[in-house]
Amino acid sequence: MNAQDAATKNYVDTHAVSKTGDTMTGTLDMNGCAITNLLNPSTAQGAATKSYVDKQDSAQIITLNSYVDTHAVSKSGDTMTGDLNMGGRMVKGLPVHYPPTTYLGSEASSWSQVTQLVNAEVQNAIKITKELITKELITNTHKKSYSGYVPILEENISRTGFVTTASAVTTASAATPGNFQAYGAFNSLNADGSNGSWATPAKKGWLQIKCPEAVTIWRVALKARAIDGKNITEWNFSGSNDGKTFEPLLTSTTKLFGSANAPLFFDISTTTAYLYYRLAIQASSGAGDLGVQVMQLYVLST
C-alpha cells in the first residue's frame, strides 16, 4: 500500500493504537518524546509518573531511615538489645582513664586500662602484704634486750622469784672470811667474801639459776671471781626446763680471768625458752676457791 492510498477500517483497527485503549504487539520507541498526563499506577506493571516515583522514593527513604534507626547501631552511641558476637574479632579504640574515676563497673576496658588497673591492684596488694608481714614480724619477732634480766639478789631463794644453787660453796674460815653463796654471782653490791661472788673449793663445779618463768636468752655475761690467778679455762653453758636434763647452748675455751675488770659477753643461739640456766666449769687454773663474780642473762622479748 502506498502512503496516499485509502485504508479500510479493518486495516486501521489492526495497525493503529486506539484512543480508547489498546495493547501493543511490539516495542513503542518514543524517539526522545515524552509521555504525559499519566494516571498513577494501580497495578504492578502500570506506568508511573515522575511525581509518583518521587513520592515513593521519599516514602521509601523515610521507611529505610526508620528501619536503620531501629535496627542498626548508631555511631554517635547506642544501646544493644541483644548479645554482640564478635566472631573472634577485636574491639579497638577503647578509652583509657586512670585513675578510673569515670568507670561504674560495667564498662568495657582497654587492654592498657586493664593492665594498669591490675598492676595497680597487684602493687597495692603487695604493699598491704608487706605491711601485714612487717606488722606481724614486729609483733611476733623477739627483740634483744640489752638490760640484764636478773636483778640484784639478796638470798639464794630471792623475793624476786629467782633461785640460785651451786655444786659446792666455799665456807667461811680464817683464810676466807665471809660467805660465797651462789646468789653472790648476782649481787654486784656486795664485796668478794661477803656474798659478792660465788666460790667453790674444787677445781670444777657448776653455778645455776632458776628463773621465775621460762625465758629465751640471746647473750650471757660472765666474769671469774676477782682474784688474780683463779682463772676459768674451759666451761659450758646450758639450759633446762626440769632442772635435770640440760641442753648445751655454748661450749667454750675462752678464759675467764680473775684479774679482768669487766665481764665478757657471749652470744647464745637458741629459740627455746628455759627455766634453768647453768654454768659448768670444766677446767681451771690457780689454787682452790675458784668462783664467779658475774653471771647475767640477756633475754629476747616480744
Side-chain angles (χ1 to χ4, degrees):
M1 180 178 289
N2 296 322
Q4 298 300 318
D5 290 345
T8 65
K9 178 180 179 295
N10 179 65
Y11 179 87
V12 173
D13 289 343
T14 57
H15 289 81
V17 177
S18 176
K19 283 185 177 182
T20 60
D22 216 329
T23 300
M24 297 293 296
T25 59
T27 302
L28 179 62
D29 184 352
M30 296 301 299
N31 195 28
C33 296
I35 298 175
T36 62
N37 202 25
L38 287 173
L39 293 174
N40 289 331
S42 58
T43 63
Q45 297 300 316
T49 65
K50 178 180 182 297
S51 174
Y52 179 84
V53 172
D54 289 344
K55 289 180 180 179
Q56 297 305 308
D57 286 345
S58 177
Q60 288 296 322
I61 289 172
I62 294 173
T63 302
L64 287 173
N65 285 345
S66 176
Y67 182 85
V68 170
D69 290 343
T70 56
H71 290 79
V73 177
S74 175
K75 281 187 176 183
S76 62
D78 220 326
T79 301
M80 297 295 294
T81 59
D83 295 334
L84 180 61
N85 187 341
M86 295 303 299
R89 302 289 182 173
M90 298 178 66
V91 177
K92 296 184 178 181
L94 291 171
V96 177
H97 300 287
Y98 194 83
T101 54
T102 60
Y103 285 136
L104 301 177
S106 60
E107 299 89 341
S109 301
S110 67
W111 175 251
S112 174
Q113 181 71 65
V114 171
T115 301
Q116 290 182 12
L117 292 174
V118 170
N119 287 340
E121 289 300 318
V122 169
Q123 292 302 318
N124 188 49
I126 291 174
K127 179 182 177 182
I128 293 174
T129 302
K130 284 183 177 179
E131 290 175 351
L132 291 175
I133 292 174
T134 301
K135 183 177 180 180
E136 186 73 13
L137 288 174
I138 292 174
T139 302
N140 297 319
T141 299
H142 289 125
K143 304 175 187 65
K144 293 180 179 179
S145 173
Y146 287 86
S147 298
Y149 174 65
V150 184
I152 294 174
L153 303 185
E154 78 292 347
E155 294 287 348
N156 282 332
I157 302 177
S158 173
R159 291 189 296 271
T160 61
F162 292 88
V163 178
T164 58
T165 52
S167 56
V169 176
T170 296
T171 57
S173 65
T176 55
N179 295 309
F180 299 90
Q181 295 296 320
Y183 79 89
F186 305 93
N187 189 326
S188 59
L189 299 180
N190 292 346
D192 183 88
S194 299
N195 289 322
S197 298
W198 163 71
T200 174
K203 299 281 287 182
K204 296 181 180 182
W206 52 264
L207 172 65
Q208 176 179 293
I209 184 167
K210 179 185 178 183
C211 302
E213 60 183 0
V215 292
T216 304
I217 68 170
W218 68 277
R219 175 177 285 183
V220 61
L222 298 171
K223 182 182 180 300
R225 183 184 171 202
I227 296 179
D228 192 19
K230 296 185 182 296
N231 304 321
I232 301 171
T233 57
E234 186 178 337
W235 53 274
N236 64 60
F237 196 78
S238 56
S240 173
N241 278 310
D242 59 8
K244 298 177 182 179
T245 303
F246 283 82
E247 296 294 331
L249 301 176
L250 180 63
T251 299
S252 179
T253 56
T254 300
K255 290 183 180 181
L256 304 177
F257 291 99
S259 59
N261 294 321
L264 296 179
F265 295 89
F266 300 91
D267 288 349
I268 304 295
S269 179
T270 182
T271 57
T272 304
Y274 293 105
L275 192 62
Y276 297 84
Y277 288 97
R278 175 182 288 186
L279 171 68
I281 302 170
Q282 303 297 324
S284 60
S285 61
D289 298 327
L290 180 74
V292 175
Q293 186 180 32
V294 175
M295 177 173 159
Q296 182 59 269
L297 307 178
Y298 295 84
V299 303
L300 292 172
S301 60
T302 55

